[in-house]
Coordinates of all heavy atoms in Angstrom, one line a residue:
G145 N 24.1 103.8 114.6 CA 23.0 102.9 114.7 C 22.6 102.5 113.2 O 23.1 102.8 112.2
N146 N 21.5 101.6 113.3 CA 20.9 101.1 112.0 C 19.9 102.1 111.5 O 18.8 102.2 112.1 CB 20.4 99.7 112.4 CG 19.9 99.0 111.2 OD1 19.6 99.5 110.1 ND2 19.9 97.7 111.3
L147 N 20.1 102.6 110.4 CA 19.3 103.6 109.7 C 18.0 103.1 109.5 O 16.9 103.6 109.6 CB 19.9 104.1 108.3 CG 19.0 105.1 107.5 CD1 18.8 106.4 108.5 CD2 19.7 105.5 106.3
A148 N 17.8 101.7 109.0 CA 16.6 101.1 108.6 C 15.7 101.0 109.9 O 14.6 101.1 109.7 CB 16.9 99.7 108.1
N149 N 16.3 100.9 111.1 CA 15.4 100.9 112.2 C 15.0 102.3 112.7 O 14.1 102.4 113.5 CB 16.1 100.2 113.3 CG 16.5 98.7 113.1 OD1 15.7 98.0 112.4 ND2 17.5 98.2 113.7
Q150 N 15.6 103.3 112.2 CA 15.3 104.7 112.6 C 14.2 105.4 111.8 O 13.7 106.4 112.2 CB 16.6 105.5 112.4 CG 17.7 105.1 113.2 CD 17.3 105.1 114.8 OE1 16.7 105.9 115.3 NE2 17.9 104.0 115.5
L151 N 13.8 104.8 110.6 CA 12.8 105.4 109.7 C 11.4 105.3 110.1 O 10.6 106.3 109.7 CB 13.0 104.9 108.3 CG 14.3 105.0 107.6 CD1 14.4 104.2 106.3 CD2 14.5 106.5 107.3
G152 N 11.1 104.5 111.0 CA 9.6 104.4 111.3 C 8.9 103.5 110.5 O 7.5 103.6 110.6
I153 N 9.4 102.7 109.7 CA 8.8 101.8 108.8 C 9.4 100.5 109.1 O 10.6 100.4 109.6 CB 8.8 102.2 107.3 CG1 10.2 102.4 106.7 CG2 8.1 103.5 107.1 CD1 10.3 102.8 105.3
S154 N 8.8 99.5 108.5 CA 9.4 98.0 108.8 C 10.9 98.0 108.2 O 11.1 98.6 107.2 CB 8.6 97.0 108.2 OG 8.6 97.0 106.8
S155 N 11.8 97.3 108.9 CA 13.2 97.3 108.5 C 13.2 96.5 107.1 O 14.1 97.0 106.3 CB 14.0 96.6 109.5 OG 13.6 95.4 109.8
N156 N 12.3 95.6 106.8 CA 12.5 95.0 105.5 C 12.2 96.0 104.4 O 12.8 96.0 103.3 CB 11.4 93.8 105.4 CG 12.0 92.5 106.1 OD1 13.2 92.4 106.4 ND2 11.2 91.6 106.6
L157 N 11.0 96.7 104.6 CA 10.7 97.7 103.6 C 11.8 98.8 103.5 O 12.2 99.2 102.4 CB 9.5 98.4 104.0 CG 8.9 99.5 103.1 CD1 8.6 99.1 101.7 CD2 7.6 100.2 103.7
A158 N 12.3 99.2 104.5 CA 13.4 100.2 104.5 C 14.5 99.7 103.7 O 15.2 100.4 102.9 CB 13.8 100.5 105.9
K159 N 14.9 98.5 104.0 CA 16.1 97.9 103.3 C 15.8 97.7 101.7 O 16.7 98.1 100.8 CB 16.5 96.5 103.9 CG 17.0 96.7 105.2 CD 17.4 95.2 105.8 CE 17.8 95.5 107.3 NZ 17.9 94.1 107.9
D160 N 14.6 97.3 101.3 CA 14.2 97.3 99.9 C 14.3 98.6 99.3 O 14.8 98.8 98.2 CB 12.8 96.6 99.9 CG 12.9 95.1 100.1 OD1 13.9 94.6 100.1 OD2 11.8 94.7 100.3
L161 N 13.7 99.6 100.0 CA 13.7 100.9 99.4 C 15.1 101.6 99.2 O 15.3 102.2 98.4 CB 12.8 101.9 100.2 CG 11.3 101.5 100.3 CD1 10.6 102.5 101.2 CD2 10.7 101.6 98.9
M162 N 15.9 101.3 100.3 CA 17.4 101.7 100.2 C 18.1 101.1 99.0 O 19.2 101.6 98.7 CB 18.1 101.5 101.6 CG 17.6 102.5 102.7 SD 18.6 102.2 104.2 CE 17.3 102.4 105.3
G163 N 17.8 99.8 98.7 CA 18.4 99.2 97.6 C 18.2 99.8 96.2 O 18.8 99.5 95.2
I164 N 17.2 100.8 96.1 CA 16.8 101.5 94.8 C 17.9 102.5 94.5 O 18.3 103.4 95.5 CB 15.4 102.0 94.8 CG1 14.5 100.8 95.0 CG2 15.3 102.8 93.4 CD1 13.0 101.3 95.1
E165 N 18.6 102.5 93.4 CA 19.6 103.5 93.0 C 19.1 104.7 92.4 O 18.2 104.6 91.6 CB 20.6 102.8 92.1 CG 21.3 101.5 92.7 CD 22.3 101.0 91.7 OE1 22.9 101.7 90.9 OE2 22.6 99.9 91.9
G166 N 19.6 105.7 92.8 CA 19.2 107.1 92.2 C 20.1 107.3 90.9 O 21.0 106.5 90.6
T167 N 19.9 108.4 90.2 CA 20.7 108.7 89.0 C 22.0 109.3 89.5 O 22.1 109.8 90.6 CB 19.9 109.7 88.1 OG1 19.7 110.9 88.9 CG2 18.7 109.1 87.5
D168 N 23.0 109.2 88.7 CA 24.3 109.8 89.0 C 24.7 110.7 87.9 O 25.7 110.5 87.3 CB 25.3 108.6 89.3 CG 26.7 109.1 89.7 OD1 26.6 110.1 90.4 OD2 27.6 108.4 89.7
E169 N 23.9 111.8 87.9 CA 24.2 112.9 86.8 C 25.5 113.5 86.9 O 26.2 113.9 85.9 CB 23.1 113.8 86.9 CG 21.8 113.2 86.4 CD 20.6 114.3 86.4 OE1 20.8 115.4 86.8 OE2 19.4 113.8 86.3
G170 N 26.0 113.7 88.1 CA 27.2 114.4 88.4 C 28.4 113.6 88.2 O 29.5 114.1 88.3
G171 N 28.4 112.3 88.1 CA 29.5 111.4 88.0 C 30.3 111.2 89.3 O 31.5 111.1 89.3
S172 N 29.5 111.3 90.5 CA 30.2 111.3 91.7 C 30.6 110.0 92.2 O 31.4 109.8 93.1 CB 29.3 112.1 92.7 OG 28.1 111.4 92.9
N173 N 29.9 108.8 91.7 CA 30.2 107.6 92.2 C 30.0 107.4 93.7 O 31.0 106.7 94.2 CB 31.5 107.0 91.6 CG 31.6 107.0 90.1 OD1 30.7 106.7 89.5 ND2 32.7 107.4 89.6
I174 N 29.0 107.8 94.2 CA 28.9 107.7 95.7 C 28.0 106.6 96.1 O 27.9 106.2 97.3 CB 28.2 109.0 96.2 CG1 26.9 109.2 95.6 CG2 29.1 110.1 96.1 CD1 26.0 110.3 96.3
G175 N 27.6 105.8 95.3 CA 26.8 104.5 95.6 C 25.3 104.8 95.7 O 24.8 105.9 95.3
K176 N 24.7 103.9 96.3 CA 23.2 104.0 96.6 C 22.8 105.1 97.5 O 23.5 105.5 98.4 CB 22.6 102.7 97.0 CG 22.8 101.5 96.0 CD 22.3 100.3 96.5 CE 22.5 99.2 95.5 NZ 22.1 97.9 95.8

Side-chain angles (χ1 to χ4, degrees):
N146 187 333
L147 179 62
N149 295 334
Q150 303 294 323
L151 291 171
I153 57 178
S154 72
S155 61
N156 283 340
L157 176 61
K159 289 174 188 173
D160 286 339
L161 295 176
M162 285 184 221
I164 297 171
E165 298 181 27
T167 59
D168 190 14
E169 293 176 4
S172 62
N173 296 321
I174 60 172
K176 295 180 181 181

